[in-house]
């Protein structure tokens, strides 16, 4: 059974940092694109970042326009894990953050992703 399990969310003050983790199990995701999306109340799911497989040890990084060098995605291919380091957080970053995985080159469309985690809540206070 394939599972993506997020962790690391929580409450942080504006300007603070959080590091989200996503552990995948049930299959090897080494050649998959792994990504983070977020969804705030009343809003559509939004692309945050993706790490797209290139070789057995390298991947490309893609980010949503709003990220502006504040977030960094990384992955440990051997551990089947992906991470999201978030710095300079603002209240507008408050949302549930989801880990997702897919095959193929596209990165930012939620409907293209086959596997999803349950999400982890990130709340940024002002």
């Amino acid at each position: 059974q394939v599972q993506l399990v997020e962790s690391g969310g929580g409450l942080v003050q504006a300007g603070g940092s959080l590091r989200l983790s996503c552990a995948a199990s049930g299959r090897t995701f080494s050649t998959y694109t792994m990504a983070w999306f977020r969804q705030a109340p009343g809003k559509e799911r939004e692309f945050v970042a993706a790490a797209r497989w290139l070789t057995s040890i390298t991947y490309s990084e893609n980010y949503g326009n709003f990220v502006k060098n504040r977030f960094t995605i990384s992955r440990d291919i051997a551990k089947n894990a992906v991470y999201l380091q978030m710095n300079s957080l603002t209240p507008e970053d408050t949302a549930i953050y989801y880990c997702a995985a897919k095959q193929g080159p596209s990165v930012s469309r939620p409907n293209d992703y086959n596997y999803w985690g349950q999400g982890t809540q990130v709340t940024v206070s002002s």
Side-chain angles (χ1 to χ4, degrees), residues 58-78:
T58 62
Y59 54 88
S60 66
E61 299 175 27
N62 300 268
Y63 295 95
N65 291 335
F66 69 90
V67 170
K68 297 179 181 178
N69 298 319
R70 298 182 300 131
F71 298 175
T72 302
I73 190 170
S74 61
R75 61 187 295 182
D76 187 327
I77 294 174

Side-chain angles (χ1 to χ4, degrees), residues 104-123:
S106 67
V107 295
S108 63
R109 296 192 298 257
N111 289 345
D112 290 347
Y113 284 78
N114 307 105
Y115 302 104
W116 290 87
Q118 293 299 307
T120 185
Q121 176 71 48
V122 171
T123 303

Side-chain angles (χ1 to χ4, degrees), residues 19-39:
R19 185 175 187 250
L20 305 183
S21 299
C22 172
S25 62
R27 69 169 302 139
T28 299
F29 285 92
S30 58
T31 62
Y32 280 54
T33 294
M34 297 192 74
W36 291 94
F37 288 80
R38 70 182 188 182
Q39 189 164 20

